[in-house]
Amino acid sequence: MAYMNRGNAKRSASDHGPNAAIPDYDAAIALMNTLRAELEPAGHWEVGLRNDLAGAYMNRGNAKRDASGHGLGAALADYDTAIALRKALRAELEPAGRWEVGLRNDLANAYVACGIAKLDASGHGPGAALADFDAAIKLMEALRAELEPAGRWEVGLRNDLANAYVACGLAKAQASGHGPGAALSDYDAAIDLLRPFLEGPLGSRLPFMVNVASRAFGGKANALLASHDAPAATDAAAEGLLLLKELEIGGTFWLRSLRESLFETTLNAYVQARQLQFLPEIILEHLEPTHPGAAPTSVAMHEAAARYLRQAAADLYLQPKHPQALLDEFAQTLHRLETLHTLYFGGTATSARLQAAERERTDGPALAQQVLERYTDEKRGRGKDPEGYLALAEFLVRHRQNTAAITAYQDAAIALLGNVPARGEMEPYIARVAEIAALILKLKLLQQPLPATLDRDATFRLLLSALNLSHWLYSEFPNALFAAPRWQSTLQRLTGRTERWRDALTSALKPVAAQIETYLHDLLGKFETTTRQQALDQARGELCEQGQAMARTLCLGLGIPWDAFSEGVTAAWLERWTFLQQDWHRGDETQRRALEEQLAEGLAHTVSELTRQLHQEALATSDATLQAALGPIWNLLHDSDEGRFLACGHHWLSQLHQPESARFAGLELGLAVETGLLNRLFAPLKAWLVKSGQCHHIALDPDDWSYKAGLFLAGKTSAVEFGPMAGAFGRTLKHPPEELAGYYRHLAAYLDSLPNPKPLRVATARKRRVANLGQIKDWRNQCAHPKTPPTNQDLQAMWNLVVADPEHAFFRYFGAALLPPPDPATRT
């Protein structure tokens, strides 16, 4: 079970994933089969152990389904083993009346997982999957009939049955002899099962139920669209999308990818229903940061919004008398989207991709390519960012510039190695380089001259071509990585270790060669069921999708060195101000202040993301300084987001001789305080208020300067800015608890519940600390603006207010409140 738990943790961790989890599942299964061999002959192999072994096969099947180099066929073998084990339990226990509810539901869920894998598995498909879903539903409906009248049909069992209906609907929508219309009854069955649990207050909605319900609404919407009932599809899609948005308002974000998919379905439904006038409202409701539950950091939602607005505008222009007012509203919404994506993604590969997509739509692919090439330019762009090269390569593949795409992929691999820390682990980076190599090999294979017909000689020549590619894989590709002249400076940190890295890379490339052989056989198999050109077009489309996914996910969980971090932060600030400085200079004082607040929040998002990626070894000196200054408080903070911001802020302070270092030092220190308030006070208090239902009774006064903090605590918005948090916290410090009302009283009560609230209740320090918070916020905002950044003297004062002042520094008094009070017997 320890191996199982570690495998489960690795499977969901961004820096591990399903491939890393499989060896742990292998170890668990090996141990369990040893137990089986020892205990089964003696009749001591208990039911729990047998079901645990089936569960281990299920977990390994789930990992293989998502892992590279395994796939659905390997997953199905594990699912079949799990089902066989559980069917054997049924055969033994059911006649004796000992086949318990949990075991019955486990068998049903195994059928569901097996069916989902069969949907896309070669040699199976939707028809084969339906048999598994039918078996699962039959088992679960029998449980329902038995338990529901007695009030013992638990929420989890109800949700599992709804999930089985959703999967069954998905299969019917694709299966011959059924179709989208036949799937509607299954989606409705799932929705009806869950609706009673979805109509209560936000805090009572269980995320796993919202997950199934939203997929049911999405499936229903797509089935209605396929059945040419777009108006009904808009209602289904919008209802599911609202559930997911409200879940994020409550602070649950792990269903973001489902929300992105349903957002696109919703826009598609409104376009097909010709209800184009609602598009701007829907888009801004989900992307405008001032709207509760908005997701302005979602790349997929930005892309979908721009695409459907452009499509709708083109449709309107074709009308004999097009509605100019609506077209103007579309143009304004597109401009706002461009502003938002610059605010939140400026200086990143995401921004370059979005700009290139927009430029391609308006000016053609040549200018779009220039955007991506400028981003990867060593002198003008971010030459150390692998994601930029991956985005360029994906663009080039899509436009059939194969040779240039291969070069871009190789540059991505080189940049990836350039980000390795001096004492870093090889495995994560080498594994990602091998993924890039696999993509290049597929591209090279599709470049080979493929015969019109596949006789024996032609097949042999193709296989020989694939084998010849191994020379490139084992020789030319590593040489390009380790000998590229323009990358020698970035690879200096590998000095003395290059051969070890080359050996590790060679080992990692061996499975790639095997994958390519399998890929070629699959490609040849497609020639037998479709035309040669259709097979090639399908393969190229799949390659583009893989490249796009790689561009977004390859670097997740990998760190970057200080020079790449500095390059990224500088690019983020410069792109924002290049885009927005005219609006700032033209605006009045109120408009400037509003724009500055938005800029500060957007820039904080990018800096936060980059700070989390920074290699810890770059901050060793700063960590030691903070340890000396904060002592046990730093032990609490150093692995947290606010600890990273503090260390980065101190590191920038040590480089004030460099341009913009002062700006970024102040920004990081401000982010540390902002994140501390959010993570240690406002977010946990909100979670408690939502869970207890007290959030619904919070009185809000729109004239309150910290009104947005109240909205956040009341569960009416998913985000809160530094200013409102600092204002609410400052007011809570400034006044005794008995003088406070509304959510301020909740804040005071939460502060008093901290391990050591006494440092917060120093009456003589209240006004000074409140003023200090305001000064920290002002300096942080000043760092995000085109104004002159704080002086070195100001930054030293800011450091004192955040860390150094023994009595009044934020992390001194607030950090002390988070620790148990000192023992009087040992106090010095």
Side-chain angles (χ1 to χ4, degrees):
M1 296 312 295
Y3 276 115
M4 285 265 283
N5 290 338
R6 189 169 72 173
N8 293 340
K10 285 181 179 178
R11 187 172 156 231
S12 7
S14 61
D15 55 346
H16 288 83
N19 283 89
I22 289 172
D24 281 322
Y25 295 139
D26 289 340
I29 290 170
L31 283 167
M32 290 177 176
N33 276 320
T34 301
L35 273 177
R36 178 180 187 175
E38 178 183 330
L39 299 176
E40 191 174 21
H44 298 316
W45 198 41
E46 299 173 358
V47 170
L49 296 175
R50 295 158 70 180
N51 198 51
D52 284 344
L53 176 57
Y57 278 110
M58 288 296 300
N59 283 352
R60 190 172 73 175
N62 292 337
K64 286 181 177 178
R65 181 191 63 204
D66 301 326
S68 59
H70 292 275
L72 297 176
L76 280 171
D78 280 334
Y79 293 146
D80 288 340
T81 303
I83 289 171
L85 286 165
R86 287 177 172 162
K87 286 175 69 175
L89 279 174
R90 176 182 187 174
E92 177 183 329
L93 300 175
E94 189 175 23
R98 293 171 49 221
W99 196 37
E100 299 174 358
V101 170
L103 297 173
R104 295 157 70 181
N105 200 57
D106 284 345
L107 175 57
N109 282 324
Y111 277 121
V112 171
C114 191
I116 291 172
K118 286 180 180 177
L119 278 173
D120 297 312
S122 176
H124 295 277
L130 276 174
D132 286 314
F133 297 142
D134 288 341
I137 290 170
K138 184 177 179 180
L139 284 165
M140 291 177 174
E141 284 288 8
L143 275 177
R144 178 184 187 178
E146 178 184 328
L147 300 175
E148 190 174 25
R152 293 171 50 219
W153 196 41
E154 299 174 359
V155 170
L157 298 175
R158 179 188 288 262
N159 193 67
D160 286 345
L161 176 55
N163 184 55
Y165 273 118
V166 172
C168 190
L170 184 63
K172 284 182 180 177
Q174 304 174 49
S176 60
H178 293 276
L184 288 171
S185 60
D186 289 296
Y187 294 132
D188 283 333
I191 292 166
D192 291 341
L193 282 165
L194 299 179
R195 191 177 290 283
F197 297 88
L198 302 173
E199 294 175 345
L202 296 185
S204 67
R205 298 181 189 175
L206 298 172
F208 66 87
M209 301 188 83
V210 173
N211 176 26
V212 176
S214 298
R215 289 193 292 109
F217 280 117
K220 181 178 180 179
N222 285 319
L224 288 166
L225 286 172
S227 302
H228 308 292
D229 190 355
T234 62
D235 294 336
E239 191 168 357
L241 189 59
L242 179 62
L243 285 173
L244 292 167
K245 187 185 82 163
E246 290 179 339
L247 196 66
E248 291 197 359
I249 290 175
T252 300
F253 297 96
W254 60 272
L255 292 175
R256 172 60 64 82
S257 61
L258 179 56
R259 182 182 179 185
E260 291 169 341
S261 173
L262 202 45
F263 178 73
E264 179 160 0
T265 299
T266 304
L267 297 182
N268 183 26
Y270 276 95
V271 168
Q272 290 199 35
R274 307 302 301 163
Q275 298 176 17
L276 306 182
Q277 69 275 18
F278 295 116
L279 289 180
E281 178 186 350
I282 295 167
I283 287 169
L284 294 179
E285 178 187 348
H286 288 274
L287 291 175
E288 178 60 63
T290 57
H291 285 246
T297 60
S298 168
V299 180
M301 291 168 73
H302 274 277
E303 290 176 334
R307 184 168 65 254
Y308 280 101
L309 272 177
R310 290 283 183 195
Q311 178 184 332
D315 290 346
L316 288 177
Y317 270 119
L318 294 176
Q319 295 182 10
K321 189 175 181 180
H322 47 257
Q324 190 58 47
L326 184 55
L327 285 168
D328 290 342
E329 188 178 3
F330 282 6
Q332 292 168 7
T333 306
L334 282 166
H335 178 72
R336 183 57 184 160
L337 286 176
E338 187 180 10
T339 301
L340 287 174
H341 91 235
T342 303
L343 284 171
Y344 284 90
F345 308 120
T348 68
T350 296
S351 178
R353 271 204 316 272
L354 290 169
Q355 287 182 56
E358 189 66 19
R359 186 60 64 88
E360 185 171 4
R361 277 190 289 267
T362 56
D363 302 316
L367 292 179
Q369 184 173 331
Q370 288 180 14
V371 171
L372 295 168
E373 289 174 341
R374 185 167 59 249
Y375 179 83
T376 56
D377 185 89
E378 289 181 85
K379 296 180 180 178
R380 296 182 297 162
R382 288 188 59 188
K384 296 179 175 64
D385 183 9
E387 290 187 48
Y389 295 101
L390 292 171
L392 174 60
E394 185 272 324
F395 175 91
L396 293 168
V397 170
R398 186 155 45 84
H399 290 279
R400 310 211 169 201
Q401 299 183 48
N402 296 334
T403 302
I406 290 170
T407 300
Y409 276 131
Q410 290 183 169
D411 285 343
I414 294 166
L416 197 65
L417 290 180
N419 285 341
V420 176
R423 293 177 293 277
E425 295 287 332
M426 285 191 290
E427 288 78 6
Y429 294 87
I430 289 294
R432 312 297 172 92
V433 170
E435 288 184 45
I436 295 174
L439 211 57
I440 298 176
L441 269 185
K442 290 179 181 178
L443 183 58
K444 281 180 166 288
L445 193 59
L446 292 179
Q447 282 184 284
Q448 302 295 314
L450 298 176
T453 57
L454 280 177
D455 55 24
R456 182 176 178 179
D457 290 341
T459 302
F460 177 78
R461 286 195 299 273
L462 271 178
L463 292 172
L464 187 61
S465 297
L467 290 174
N468 288 337
L469 289 176
S470 63
H471 174 72
W472 174 88
L473 182 67
Y474 293 121
S475 178
E476 294 179 32
F477 181 63
N479 288 341
L481 300 190
F482 293 104
R486 67 191 186 97
W487 291 106
Q488 286 306 300
S489 60
T490 63
L491 295 175
Q492 283 178 354
R493 59 176 57 90
L494 302 180
T495 300
R497 304 171 64 205
T498 304
E499 288 308 313
R500 281 183 53 220
W501 280 76
R502 186 185 285 271
D503 292 343
L505 180 60
T506 300
S507 298
L509 293 177
K510 289 178 181 177
V512 172
Q515 285 180 42
I516 294 304
E517 187 174 345
T518 302
Y519 178 77
L520 177 59
H521 282 290
D522 288 345
L523 183 62
L524 296 179
K526 291 176 183 177
F527 284 11
E528 298 175 1
T529 57
T530 184
T531 68
R532 172 182 175 277
Q533 192 57 48
Q534 286 174 330
L536 288 175
D537 289 343
Q538 182 183 347
R540 185 170 290 278
E542 291 171 354
L543 194 66
C544 287
E545 290 178 6
Q546 292 171 24
Q548 190 175 58
M550 179 182 287
R552 294 176 177 173
T553 61
L554 188 83
C555 298
L556 291 178
L558 297 181
I560 56 176
W562 182 264
D563 53 353
F565 166 77
S566 175
E567 178 186 80
V569 172
T570 303
W573 187 83
L574 286 175
E575 183 175 324
R576 283 162 171 81
W577 276 113
T578 300
F579 181 81
L580 295 165
Q581 60 184 342
Q582 288 187 355
D583 290 342
W584 185 85
H585 286 297
R586 285 198 299 256
D588 58 28
E589 190 60 31
T590 301
Q591 292 168 328
R592 285 186 177 187
R593 191 178 300 113
L595 187 57
E596 288 167 0
E597 287 292 337
Q598 292 180 49
L599 283 161
E601 294 307 317
L603 184 58
H605 167 74
T606 300
V607 173
S608 298
E609 292 297 311
L610 288 166
T611 302
R612 293 187 185 103
Q613 296 173 40
L614 182 60
H615 290 315
Q616 191 63 42
E617 68 179 41
L619 302 174
T621 302
S622 297
D623 283 346
T625 300
L626 285 158
Q627 176 70 63
L630 296 175
I633 295 172
W634 181 243
N635 296 336
L636 175 71
L637 297 175
H638 80 279
D639 284 332
S640 66
D641 285 344
E642 52 264 51
R644 298 278 284 179
F645 295 138
L646 283 176
C648 278
H650 178 268
H651 194 84
W652 283 114
L653 286 174
S654 69
Q655 302 190 28
L656 290 179
H657 58 283
Q658 296 183 3
E660 303 301 343
S661 288
R663 185 181 304 282
F664 301 136
L667 189 63
E668 297 270 11
L669 293 175
L671 276 171
V673 176
E674 179 180 15
T675 307
L677 287 171
L678 179 63
N679 291 350
R680 310 283 177 173
L681 177 55
F682 283 86
L685 175 56
K686 174 187 177 178
W688 181 81
L689 290 170
V690 170
K691 186 175 182 180
S692 66
Q694 295 190 54
C695 62
H696 308 300
H697 307 295
I698 291 178
L700 299 170
D701 179 5
D703 294 329
D704 181 357
W705 188 78
S706 297
Y707 174 65
K708 290 183 179 179
L711 283 175
F712 178 78
L713 293 175
K716 298 183 182 300
T717 184
S718 56
V720 59
E721 296 87 359
F722 189 4
M725 283 194 297
F729 179 66
R731 181 171 176 179
T732 308
L733 291 183
K734 195 172 182 180
H735 299 279
E738 61 272 13
E739 295 180 7
L740 297 169
Y743 62 87
Y744 292 103
R745 181 164 290 181
H746 289 299
L747 276 171
Y750 189 85
L751 290 174
D752 284 338
S753 74
L754 293 175
N756 183 27
K758 187 176 179 181
L760 301 173
R761 298 302 183 196
V762 181
T764 56
R766 288 173 180 165
K767 289 185 178 179
R768 179 171 177 179
R769 290 174 178 177
V770 171
N772 288 351
L773 278 172
Q775 183 62 75
I776 291 169
K777 177 182 74 72
D778 291 344
W779 273 326
R780 191 211 75 156
N781 285 354
Q782 185 179 343
C783 290
H785 305 158
K787 306 169 184 174
T788 303
T791 65
N792 290 0
Q793 184 178 0
D794 287 339
L795 286 172
Q796 187 56 54
M798 189 176 186
W799 172 256
N800 289 336
L801 298 185
V802 175
V803 172
D805 188 306
E807 184 178 1
H808 300 296
F810 174 81
F811 281 103
R812 296 291 186 118
Y813 65 82
F814 188 64
L818 301 172
L819 296 173
D823 184 347
T826 59
R827 184 182 297 162
T828 58

